[in-house]
Every structure is written in C-alpha cells, then in structure tokens.
Amino acid sequence: MPSPRRNTEGRPLGASASSSSSSPGSPAHGGSGAGRFEFQSLLSSRAPGGDPTCARLRASESPVHRRGSFPLAGTGPSQAPPPALPEDDRMDLNPSFLGIALRSLLAIDLWLSKKLGVCAGENSSWGSMRPLMKLLEISGHGIPWLLGTLYGLFRSDSWAGREVLMNLLFALLLDLLLVTVIKALVRRRRPAHNQMDMFVTLSVDKYSFPSGHASRAALMSRFILNHLVLAIPLRVLTVLWTFIVGLSRVMLGRHNVTDVAFGFFLGYMQYSIVDYCWLSPHNAPALFVLWNQQ
Ligand SMILES: CC(C)=CCC/C(C)=C/CC/C(C)=C/COP(=O)(O)O
C-alpha cells in the first residue's frame, strides 16, 4: 500500500505546521476569522426559525475544522466525514450572546484602562502627576481611615459621637473583609502596566477586582453625607473626592475601569448594610460597655 507523501519535516503533505491545531491569527487561535465565524454561527443558530443543527453542521465545515483538526480530510468525495466534535468544542464555537457581550465589555475595559493609565510610570505621558495620584491613594487607604476612626473613638466624649464612630469602624472592617474575600475569589491580576509600589498592602492586594480604594471611598462618602452636617460645598467636595480617588486608580495603572466601577457599587451597598445593622447602646450594649465604665 503506498504511504502518504511527506514534506521535509516528515509531515504528511497537506498538514503544514500552520494547520496543526492553532497558530496566532488563525481562526482556531481566535484570530479575526474565528471571531467572524463564531458570530455568524451564533446568529444563524439564534435567528427566528433557524435550525441549531444546521448551525452545528456549518460549524463542522468551518476553516477551524478543515485546517486544524482534520488536515487530510475533504480532498475527495469517497473519504469518511470527520468525527463529531466533543460537546465542549461545539460550545466554544457557538458561544451565547451573553458570552459575546461579556467578552466585548472585557475588551473595551482593557483597552480603556490602558488608555487612561497615563500615570502608570514616571515615563508615562502624565508621569509628572504621579505624586498627586499617590497622595489620593493615601487619602483612600485603609490605614489612615482605621487609625483616624480609632483615635476619634477613644477621644470622643459624647455618646452620639461614639455611636457614629463605632459604626464607622464597623463599616471600615466590613469593607476590608468583603474586598479581601472577593479579591481572593475572583483573582483578577492587576493591569500589566501597574508598578506594584503601593503603601502597606495585604497579600490579596496583588489582585485588582474590586478596587478597595473605590469601595472605601464610596462607603465613606455615603457615610459622611448621611451622618455629618456639612455645608453644600463640602458635600460636593466629598462626592468629587470619591470620583477622583476612583479615577486615580485607573490613571495610576492599579486597576481596570470595571474594578473601580464594581468597587463603587460595593461601597454603596456596604453603606446600606451598615445602616441596616446600625449599632447602638440598645442593640449592641456590649460594644459600648467600655465607655460606661469610664
Ligand atoms: C486591620 C487591618 C488588617 C488593616 C489593614 C489595612 C490595609 C493594609 C488595607 C489595605 C488597603 C489597600 C492597599 C487596598 C488596596 O486597594 P486597591 O484599590 O488597590 O484595591
């Protein structure tokens, strides 16, 4: 029986290096061809009256299969059809609309975050603004807020003041806990252009989702607006500070935009939890007993 003709690398002719599995830019590798194919396949299987089986059949005719999985197939009518793909592969070729939307959002997020990361290094286009951004970083850091609250708590001589500060402490600890848990679960790496030169971090702070600074800023600002009587300009400044802290995280290259957006959402929701569980000498007398004894 004649053996198949081979090229100089010993591969059967028709099975070139670029056709085995995937190469950058090839459809199987997620190049533009693959994107187009996936989208067409998705449309045909979702169209009214569209037949998902047909979509799958079209998938088996795709360049991914011809070029990647079956290098010698398709050269004559007598050859057996290629074996069906495993279920997982078909799902990859035919992602849900939600999958495409999420991937697009992620791509926009990465692109925008990189564009906005203008203070990520000394040599970046706005590198001279880096010290100011780092000042904003310290203004939203957990340590000054925790130390300031503890100091206020021990110096306060009014019951109302102690109650507010006790809840502020609870809010800060809750924020630290939730951000740590989510970072450890999601494990999204910080952007590649970030320089890891942050002041006092926890081990989970190598992860970026969600932004702890953004959540703390949103939480603190809602707390302050609800519990301090401030003149309008100071209220505006408080809200402005929150947004500037969030923006500075992206400009410093510490975070992607979605990390900060989710951080704001988280901080906003955390205030609702704190407000709902508001600690007072009536519902948590043990916490206030320290001052009763003074
Ligand atoms: C009581 C205790 C464990 C305090 C630790 C305070 C601390 C080191 C907080 C970390 C703050 C920080 C660097 C957060 C990271 O913020 P991202 O905006 O970069 O996520």
Side-chain angles (χ1 to χ4, degrees), residues 141-143 146 173 176 183 190 198-202 205 207-208 210-214 216 249 254-255:
H141 197 286
I143 299 240
L146 278 169
L173 294 176
L176 212 59
K183 278 188 176 177
R190 287 190 187 266
M198 280 168 61
F199 151 73
V200 194
T201 55
L202 301 174
D205 290 326
Y207 301 123
S208 74
S211 162
H213 279 75
R216 196 161 26 251
R249 305 309 290 151
R254 305 274 194 239
H255 290 281

Side-chain angles (χ1 to χ4, degrees), residues 34-261:
R36 227 176 13 249
F37 167 71
E38 283 175 4
F39 191 59
Q40 283 166 356
S41 154
L42 180 87
L43 287 180
S44 51
S45 65
R46 295 286 185 276
D51 181 359
T53 318
C54 291
R56 256 184 248 132
L57 284 175
R58 277 192 290 279
S60 69
E61 293 162 14
S62 83
V64 177
H65 300 150
R66 271 188 273 119
R67 295 179 59 195
S69 309
F70 313 107
L72 290 176
T75 52
S78 60
Q79 280 170 330
L85 279 176
E87 196 64 34
D88 282 358
D89 289 2
R90 275 189 225 145
M91 283 168 63
D92 240 358
L93 289 170
N94 203 358
S96 66
F97 182 75
L98 187 67
I100 290 187
L102 283 178
R103 275 174 210 203
S104 308
L105 176 68
L106 205 65
I108 294 171
D109 181 33
L110 295 179
W111 170 80
L112 189 60
S113 308
K114 193 156 186 208
K115 267 214 154 322
L116 290 174
V118 288
C119 304
E122 281 76 14
N123 299 326
S124 308
S125 49
W126 288 27
S128 57
M129 296 273 284
R130 219 173 137 73
L132 181 62
M133 298 295 137
K134 290 191 126 191
L135 206 61
L136 283 165
E137 177 166 84
I138 292 173
S139 78
H141 197 286
I143 299 240
W145 279 99
L146 278 169
L147 291 182
T149 307
L150 283 172
Y151 178 79
L153 202 49
F154 287 105
R155 292 300 302 262
S156 171
D157 50 12
S158 82
W159 278 107
R162 282 175 205 148
E163 187 175 315
V164 169
L165 288 166
M166 184 64 87
N167 282 280
L168 182 59
L169 184 63
F170 167 56
L172 287 167
L173 294 176
L174 176 75
D175 173 61
L176 212 59
L177 177 75
L178 290 184
V179 169
T180 301
V181 169
I182 300 174
K183 278 188 176 177
L185 288 175
V186 177
R187 294 175 175 216
R188 184 185 201 188
R189 290 275 166 193
R190 287 190 187 266
H193 53 279
N194 173 46
Q195 289 179 16
M196 202 53 196
D197 57 351
M198 280 168 61
F199 151 73
V200 194
T201 55
L202 301 174
S203 64
V204 287
D205 290 326
K206 59 177 175 283
Y207 301 123
S208 74
F209 185 93
S211 162
H213 279 75
S215 73
R216 196 161 26 251
L219 171 64
M220 289 304 97
S221 132
R222 239 191 123 189
F223 197 104
I224 289 169
L225 293 179
N226 279 285
H227 293 284
L228 291 188
V229 182
L230 293 178
I232 300 278
L234 283 179
R235 296 176 80 81
V236 173
L237 260 182
T238 306
V239 176
L240 215 59
W241 168 78
T242 305
F243 283 102
I244 293 175
V245 165
L247 181 64
S248 72
R249 305 309 290 151
V250 182
M251 290 175 76
L252 271 174
R254 305 274 194 239
H255 290 281
N256 294 305
V257 175
T258 45
D259 305 332
V260 171

